[in-house]
Amino acid sequence: MRCPFCKNDDTKVIDSRVADEGQAIRRRRSCVECGRRFSTVESAVLAVVKRNGVTEPFSREKVMRGVRRACQGRHVAEDALAKLAQQVEDTVRASGSAEIPSNEVGLAILGPLRDLDEVAYLRFASVYRSFDSVEDFQREIDDLRTAHGGVRAEAVSAEPVQSS
């Protein structure tokens, strides 16, 4: 690590601590040449490989932007979006791979988003899974109903309820 003051390449680590909930290491360093001290933060870079082969660093903010778009007009707190983005990052980091395909990031978003807001989930899934027809939406809605122990749309009676 190069000293930010005198630009010398020879520095030594004085102290190391875990930072950012275990995602990074904060190191206190001392320059051998000028004796000044400074801190560095080191974290493992998680790269996302897009469909076209381009690699870019994982971005929690990018996850939040995409989910925020799906949640537009819904009552979803910004804190909930930040929590979801953290869950997604934790999930993709847990894979143990330094590079992860973008479709795995999308899959990691779907689960927590489904729990957060079903309408936003349907919006996101329709783009992510490239829905082509109403049947695609219906199939996904039926899956949501089944997952919640609900009744399938075909089983609901169309007869009006009479009151006495």
Side-chain angles (χ1 to χ4, degrees):
M1 169 61 48
R2 183 171 289 177
C3 174
F5 305 108
C6 71
K7 309 299 184 220
N8 182 35
D9 285 333
D10 194 13
T11 63
K12 63 182 177 180
V13 175
I14 298 171
D15 183 40
S16 294
R17 295 180 187 200
V18 174
D20 193 22
E21 298 176 8
Q23 299 299 316
I25 297 176
R26 183 178 182 275
R27 297 196 194 278
R28 192 74 181 139
R29 295 177 176 271
S30 175
C31 177
V32 174
E33 184 70 26
C34 70
R36 294 182 74 181
R37 293 182 175 194
F38 59 97
S39 295
T40 60
V41 178
E42 301 172 16
S43 62
V45 176
L46 178 61
V48 177
V49 181
K50 298 173 83 173
R51 290 180 194 158
N52 63 5
V54 173
T55 302
E56 65 181 41
F58 176 85
S59 167
R60 248 189 263 169
E61 185 54 42
K62 192 169 180 180
V63 169
M64 285 179 63
R65 263 195 320 269
V67 173
R68 189 179 292 119
R69 207 171 305 126
C71 292
Q72 212 165 14
R74 306 292 300 160
H75 297 288
V76 177
E78 195 67 21
D79 287 348
L81 294 178
K83 184 179 177 184
L84 184 142
Q86 180 63 53
Q87 285 178 302
V88 170
E89 183 173 0
D90 292 346
T91 299
V92 295
R93 283 194 185 277
S95 74
S97 179
E99 289 187 346
I100 187 149
S102 60
N103 68 318
E104 288 189 33
V105 176
L107 289 173
I109 291 171
L110 287 173
L113 184 55
R114 187 177 190 168
D115 296 337
L116 181 65
D117 188 287
E118 290 179 341
V119 172
Y121 166 79
L122 281 172
R123 289 174 178 171
F124 188 88
S126 71
V127 173
Y128 178 72
R129 293 184 176 153
S130 303
F131 286 6
D132 292 326
S133 66
V134 174
E135 288 78 23
D136 291 336
F137 279 96
Q138 189 61 53
R139 194 171 21 261
E140 199 64 43
I141 291 169
D142 289 344
D143 288 348
L144 283 170
R145 286 186 175 138
T146 302
H148 291 298
V151 185
R152 293 183 54 93
E154 300 86 48
V156 177
S157 172
E159 295 179 31
V161 177
Q162 296 179 0
S163 59
S164 39

